Amino acid sequence: MPLKNLDALFQPKSVVLVGATPNAGKVGYDVLLNLTRGNLKVPLYLVNPNHTEIEGRSCHADVAALPVTPDLGIIASPAETVPGILRALGERGTRAAVVVSTGLTRGDGALAAEAVEAARETGLRLLGPESIGVMVPAVGLNASYAHENVPKGDLALISQSGSVIGSMVEWANGSGVGFSAIASVGNSGDVDVGDLLDYFSLDYRTRAILLYMEGVGNASRFMTAARAAARVRPVVVIKSGRHKQAAIAAATHSGALATADAVYDAAFRRAGLLRVRDLHELFEAAQTLSLLKPFKGRRLAVVTNGGGMGVVAVDRLVDYGGHLACLGDETHTALDSFLPCRWSGANPIDIGDDADPERYAKVLDIVLQDADIDAVLVMHCPSMLGASVECAEAAAEAVGRHRKNRIHPKPVFAAWLSHDDEARTIFEAEHVPCYPSPSGAIRGYMDLVHYSDAQDELMATPPSLPSEFRPDVESARAAVAGALVDNRAWLTPLETQAVLAAYDIPMVQTEVARTPEEARLAARKVLTVSNTCAVKVASPDIPNKSDVRGVVLDVTTPEVAELVASEMLLRIPTLRPDARIDGVSIQPMIVRRNGVELVAGIADNPVFGPVVVFGRGGLAVEVIADKALALPPLDMHLAHDLIAQTRVSRVLKGYRGRPAADENAVALTLVKLAQLSADIPEIRSLDLNPLVADDSGVLSLDARIAVKHEPARVGGWSNPRFAIRPYPKQWERQMELRDGSRVDVRPIRPEDEVLYPDFFARVTPEDLRLRFFAPVRDFSHKFIARLTQIDYSRDMAFLALDEATGELMGVVRLSAEPDRETGEYAILLRSDLKGKGLGWRLMKLLIEHARSEGFRSIHGQVLRENTTMLSMCEGLGFHAKIDPDEPNIAQVKLPLDEPIADTNGEAPLRRSA
């Protein structure tokens, strides 16, 4: 129930403090002091059985004695009393509570568990236990024991640390940055980070969200909320504990590369969050976001009175991946007409250490008009020749003129190295963030650039997968099943080969020999296709064969292979008596002169589940540590992005006459691995190392797969440990319409964007108006991407495709509320297909899906003139009523505890083969 009653935390109608006390030094005293000095705009009640009055306010003996039911309860009483108080508040009808009491988690944590259960049983939303409280300046609410109030603004702060909130409050008061709300989640017994992300993403008072995290409990819930929030608000995150080791004893190269922080980094990147590394960067990001909105473009102009500092700024810009703007001809000519002859003549624009206020203003007036510039950094170095404050005033006035004359003004950043508070105040009045150094200003600029880039990435349309990629899932499952039946953690080389073949991942031919004699026979077979072969020890307990000299290359004859195998099988058991030795594997030696050795695989993270790993491969894979991680599922766009994050990606593009490798083949291999993990959750770890890539494609020279029994799946979904739900193939269907025509129905995919232009062209303007309640003319990429790129954990859309042509015939979608108890439906068909029963069948499928997901109801809005839709809703069992605020709209609702009506007598749906 993510959003249920959360409004009572941030917009309560009344508040009670249980555990209020007049005794200084107690938590109840500090919270009471903050509540009373914060200009609280709603009634406040106090509860303490030992007092009848505190600070001139009536105090009640217990919750039952309160004259009204409070909307929000703040509990600061002794730990042992908290569960009972929560139960009393919940039974009384209080909707939310914050537990600031300490000591509930000591020992075995039984008191904390009891408190959470009491809240859950009564439907009361609980922030905590052991939260430091909640602050909402707009309503004068400071229900915390932070040491001071916080200014009103439009940033929301969610923190898993009370000390971070204290630091942020003190900094905010000193910098003038304000907040819409601050919430300390404590131990997240009920309300967690995901709940608060959902709330603030819809909060009209909040423009950006700051997030301090120490860990994630429910990864799927967090990723769903984070992805949704990042689409509508900038979300800046700092995650502590970056250097904790999580892969010390990893059994595969992929596992060793997938350190805990690297996985968090991949999760934040996938969600579109902006990550900063420390509190100082978080403060800077807060300051930037409080003054500027995200913008498009990456071309920065630097205006400075100090050439050296201008170069420093450019260095930092390049370090962070930014781009220096090229001055337009008109701009260059205009500047040349009045600047001293010694001016730099290029960007950065060095206007001279004698620059006065007039020169600053004139330069900015010109630079801000240049269409080839997206943003400006104006800098001032202390000088006897140019007064800091006067130059700041002139620069700020120039920015103000620009803002008044432009619908979309260019963002301006300032770096005033004189550390002048007055200059900062002058700039911030014109929404110009001011920093004491070039590095801080560049970082602030790049924060917004990276946010815009992340939004573009979220909206990118991936290319379709090759139609010939049709994995043989059952064959792969059969290979895995053998190991599970034998209670083996590792697949044999032949089983591994079978799994990879089922997913069309090329691997070198492998023969397994248990004895030296079998090794001779296997080598004879392999040497018919290769001049030489490799002999490797086969052991599930020795991931790095080279560590025990378990790899011999360039074996030329069967007899030598027999000798090598004999030596290995005698020597290695004495080196590793703990290891199971299954024999040796024989493989042909593959020589690809232009090949690049890569590593690709799947690692298992205890928080986020399966992770796809890619990087530079070979013997020194962990030493080089050139790696990138991504959460599955992947498409081709995401796979190429994963490759681009590594240094080896530059090698793949070719150099000094070496041809470029087939990067599409590498990307497709990563997509296949992600799909393999989705289809067979029993696979816990997989290594392809080395995976050799060249201009002819890819080939794995070695592979290992670890497996583990997986509990029965719930709801028919693929791998339940995925943090992001994969494409739900189980919902693919075929249906027959009234005229006997056949239609393929499946969930929507991001690459379906290409189907929409033709589809919209075949929907009449009147039908579009009935669907969107207004004339629609904008079918931009951004508009369609929001329709095709959905989170299957929260939304669903089914496409109906013509079986013969693949053309889009209609679409029905369900957008879930964050509590996932209800959702809003929408449907649109091609105008020439009405009357065939397509809409009816799509609606029934959508209702079936909603039931399977545990929805209690679905609802929608229908224009009253849309009698066809209202008639279908009535036939399906929806209840309709007129919207009291908009009489031309009918609100329709279908309770899902009622059977679906079927007055049309349609043919049943068939699952796709």
Side-chain angles (χ1 to χ4, degrees):
M1 51 178 183
L3 288 186
K4 184 178 180 181
N5 289 336
L6 282 192
D7 61 304
L9 274 174
F10 302 105
Q11 300 178 61
K13 297 179 176 64
S14 57
V15 179
V16 61
L17 173 59
V18 183
T21 176
N23 301 322
K26 300 287 188 181
V27 171
Y29 174 84
D30 294 335
V31 176
L32 176 59
L33 188 64
N34 280 337
L35 284 168
T36 54
R37 71 181 181 183
N39 193 27
L40 184 63
K41 296 177 174 60
V42 299
L44 172 64
Y45 302 93
L46 308 180
V47 170
N48 188 323
N50 300 317
H51 299 276
T52 57
E53 183 181 289
I54 300 176
E55 301 293 334
R57 294 176 177 269
S58 296
C59 188
H60 304 274
D62 52 31
V63 171
L66 290 170
V68 299
T69 297
D71 215 22
L72 172 64
I74 312 299
I75 303 177
S77 61
E80 63 273 12
T81 67
V82 171
I85 291 169
L86 283 170
R87 185 167 281 104
L89 286 170
E91 291 172 350
R92 180 76 188 262
T94 299
R95 298 192 298 138
V98 182
V99 175
V100 297
S101 306
T102 60
L104 277 82
T105 57
R106 290 175 187 160
D108 60 1
L111 274 177
E114 189 180 344
V116 172
E117 185 60 27
R120 185 175 291 117
E121 288 175 354
T122 57
L124 177 144
R125 300 310 306 274
L126 170 63
L127 187 66
E130 305 209 1
S131 164
I132 77 159
V134 62
M135 306 170 77
V136 188
V139 297
L141 176 66
N142 183 354
S144 77
Y145 53 89
H147 59 288
E148 54 187 324
N149 287 324
V150 70
K152 177 182 174 182
D154 55 12
L155 301 180
L157 171 63
I158 305 167
S159 179
Q160 292 180 329
S161 165
S163 61
V164 167
I165 287 180
S167 300
M168 183 64 81
V169 167
E170 183 170 344
W171 171 83
N173 278 286
S175 64
V177 172
F179 288 84
S180 58
I182 293 178
S184 161
V185 298
N187 292 319
S188 301
D190 171 29
V191 177
D192 62 12
V193 169
D195 296 330
L196 296 176
L197 284 171
D198 273 330
Y199 180 85
F200 290 124
S201 70
L202 301 174
D203 178 31
Y204 72 93
R205 294 193 183 103
T206 298
R207 189 165 57 81
I209 302 169
L210 308 178
L211 177 58
Y212 175 86
M213 299 187 65
E214 295 174 348
V216 167
N218 185 327
S220 176
R221 172 84 189 93
F222 170 76
M223 289 300 296
T224 296
R227 294 171 77 198
R231 281 181 177 263
V232 295
R233 305 271 193 278
V235 182
V236 183
V237 60
I238 177 173
K239 163 68 175 64
S240 61
R242 291 190 292 118
H243 297 294
K244 291 180 180 177
Q245 295 297 314
I248 294 172
T252 62
H253 300 295
S254 297
L257 294 174
T259 58
D261 190 67
V263 176
Y264 270 99
D265 222 34
F268 296 152
R269 183 183 179 92
R270 183 65 176 272
L273 309 188
L274 174 63
R275 185 175 189 181
V276 296
R277 298 293 170 175
D278 55 39
L279 277 180
H280 180 69
E281 289 187 15
L282 186 66
F283 294 156
E284 287 184 342
Q287 181 185 26
T288 304
L289 291 169
S290 71
L291 296 170
L292 291 175
K293 295 180 179 179
F295 59 91
K296 293 293 183 184
R298 303 174 63 91
R299 300 168 299 179
L300 180 71
V302 179
V303 177
T304 177
N305 69 338
M309 281 295 108
V311 174
V312 169
V314 172
D315 284 344
R316 296 309 286 156
L317 181 68
V318 175
D319 289 342
Y320 286 119
H323 298 283
L324 199 63
C326 292
L327 302 182
D329 291 340
E330 291 184 7
T331 299
H332 193 280
T333 301
L335 294 174
D336 218 19
S337 68
F338 72 93
L339 284 178
C341 60
R342 66 181 185 277
W343 85 281
S344 59
N347 188 16
I349 304 166
D350 180 1
I351 63 176
D353 56 8
D354 60 343
D356 57 12
E358 182 182 356
R359 193 183 298 174
Y360 265 100
K362 198 168 182 178
V363 169
L364 285 173
D365 284 338
I366 294 169
V367 170
L368 287 168
Q369 299 304 315
D370 191 329
D372 294 327
I373 293 171
D374 300 312
V376 176
L377 166 61
V378 57
M379 298 171 55
H380 182 274
C381 304
S383 169
M384 293 291 291
L385 303 176
S388 169
V389 173
E390 287 77 5
C391 288
E393 288 175 339
E397 288 171 4
V399 175
R401 289 192 294 273
H402 173 70
R403 287 171 54 83
K404 290 176 183 177
N405 296 326
R406 296 285 292 269
I407 297 175
H408 299 293
K410 294 176 182 177
V412 178
F413 301 77
W416 240 241
L417 278 68
S418 58
H419 295 234
D420 195 315
D421 288 341
E422 187 176 353
R424 191 193 73 184
T425 301
I426 291 168
F427 277 118
E428 290 180 354
E430 290 295 344
H431 292 265
V432 176
C434 184
Y435 305 84
S437 72
S439 294
I442 293 295
R443 190 161 49 234
Y445 163 73
M446 289 305 300
D447 281 346
L448 293 183
V449 169
H450 289 151
Y451 172 75
S452 293
D453 287 349
Q455 293 302 296
D456 292 341
E457 289 293 315
L458 290 173
M459 292 292 180
T461 302
S464 299
L465 289 175
S467 58
E468 61 269 19
F469 174 48
R470 296 180 179 275
D472 184 355
V473 181
E474 292 310 313
S475 292
R477 283 183 179 148
V480 170
L484 295 174
V485 169
D486 295 341
N487 288 318
R488 285 185 281 115
W490 295 89
L491 301 192
T492 66
L494 294 181
E495 290 168 338
T496 298
Q497 191 166 261
V499 169
L500 298 182
Y503 279 76
D504 195 25
I505 297 174
M507 183 180 175
V508 67
Q509 173 191 350
T510 302
E511 301 289 335
V512 177
R514 289 181 173 19
T515 66
E517 293 76 15
E518 290 181 8
R520 184 182 73 249
L521 298 175
R524 180 172 290 126
K525 180 178 179 181
V526 168
L527 288 171
T528 61
V529 297
S530 174
N531 292 328
T532 58
C533 66
V535 180
K536 304 178 182 180
V537 64
S539 169
D541 302 316
I542 305 177
N544 299 315
K545 304 176 183 68
S546 299
D547 292 349
V548 293
R549 291 186 291 123
V551 178
V552 175
L553 307 178
D554 296 317
V555 174
T556 56
T557 68
E559 290 72 25
V560 173
E562 181 178 14
L563 290 173
V564 169
S566 177
E567 189 275 336
M568 279 189 187
L569 294 177
L570 287 173
R571 175 178 51 81
I572 293 177
T574 62
L575 291 175
R576 288 288 307 275
D578 59 312
R580 291 162 293 173
I581 309 297
D582 297 331
V584 295
S585 59
I586 313 293
Q587 297 174 328
M589 289 290 296
I590 304 297
V591 178
R592 291 196 171 184
R593 298 189 183 280
N594 296 317
V596 181
E597 288 193 341
L598 307 170
V599 61
I602 301 167
D604 193 61
N605 180 265
V607 176
F608 291 96
V611 180
V612 177
V613 181
F614 172 78
R616 187 70 183 251
L619 286 176
V621 56
E622 286 102 336
V623 176
I624 296 173
D626 176 21
K627 49 106 186 268
L629 281 65
L631 300 188
L634 297 182
D635 55 38
M636 289 294 283
H637 174 79
L638 291 168
H640 278 289
D641 178 67
L642 178 61
I643 295 167
Q645 294 174 49
T646 62
R647 300 188 301 276
V648 75
S649 64
R650 299 193 288 272
V651 180
L652 291 174
K653 298 185 185 303
Y655 61 95
R656 292 185 178 177
R658 294 186 65 166
D662 185 350
E663 190 174 315
N664 277 331
V666 179
L668 183 57
T669 301
L670 297 173
V671 173
K672 290 174 179 179
L673 290 177
Q675 187 61 50
L676 172 60
S677 182
D679 293 338
I680 308 179
E682 291 81 6
I683 291 179
R684 292 303 181 95
S685 185
L686 184 151
D687 249 0
L688 306 179
N689 183 39
L691 176 71
V692 177
D694 62 11
D695 55 340
S696 66
V698 296
L699 179 67
S700 177
L701 302 187
D702 201 2
R704 287 165 54 82
I705 298 178
V707 296
K708 184 178 180 181
H709 283 280
E710 184 69 23
R713 305 182 200 183
V714 179
W717 286 92
S718 301
N719 196 326
R721 293 181 297 107
F722 267 36
I724 301 172
R725 272 191 178 180
Y727 173 77
K729 186 176 177 62
Q730 71 274 18
W731 284 99
E732 293 180 349
R733 301 285 191 275
Q734 286 185 332
M735 63 173 65
E736 184 176 314
L737 303 185
R738 289 174 185 158
D739 61 0
S741 59
R742 303 282 292 276
V743 177
D744 292 326
V745 179
R746 61 166 174 80
I748 201 167
R749 294 194 289 249
E751 58 264 35
D752 291 326
E753 181 178 339
V754 296
L755 301 175
Y756 268 83
D758 179 66
F759 172 69
F760 281 136
R762 300 167 81 173
V763 180
T764 66
E766 176 64 8
D767 283 347
L768 286 172
R769 184 185 68 81
L770 292 175
R771 161 63 179 88
F772 294 105
F773 290 19
V776 180
R777 298 181 180 88
D778 175 24
F779 297 122
S780 65
H781 160 68
K782 185 175 181 180
F783 177 84
I784 299 175
R786 289 195 178 276
L787 300 178
T788 59
Q789 299 186 25
I790 66 173
D791 184 340
Y792 298 120
S793 294
R794 182 162 289 186
D795 302 319
M796 178 55 74
F798 291 113
L799 301 184
L801 304 170
D802 187 290
E803 186 182 48
T805 66
E807 294 175 337
L808 179 57
M809 304 169 66
V811 58
V812 64
R813 66 180 60 245
L814 181 67
S815 298
E817 304 293 344
D819 60 11
R820 293 192 57 78
E821 293 186 354
T822 185
E824 183 175 8
Y825 86 90
I827 185 169
L828 182 65
L829 308 180
R830 255 174 39 194
S831 298
D832 60 328
L833 297 176
K834 292 181 179 179
K836 295 187 176 185
L838 177 59
W840 179 273
R841 299 301 287 151
L842 287 176
M843 283 296 296
K844 288 185 69 175
L845 179 62
L846 192 74
I847 293 167
E848 178 189 348
H849 168 75
R851 276 205 169 97
S852 75
E853 290 289 297
F855 283 60
R856 299 177 66 179
S857 66
I858 62 175
H859 61 271
Q861 292 183 318
V862 184
L863 288 173
R864 292 180 67 187
E865 62 189 280
N866 192 351
T867 55
T868 301
M869 175 59 70
L870 289 173
S871 175
M872 182 173 71
C873 287
E874 181 181 1
L876 287 166
F878 281 79
H879 307 310
K881 66 177 182 179
I882 306 305
D883 189 325
D885 298 322
E886 299 188 57
N888 64 327
I889 293 177
Q891 301 277 5
V892 296
K893 182 176 181 179
L894 176 67
L896 292 180
D897 53 358
E898 299 178 5
I900 306 175
D902 194 3
T903 57
N904 285 22
E906 301 291 343
L909 294 175
R910 291 190 295 276
R911 293 182 182 271
S912 295

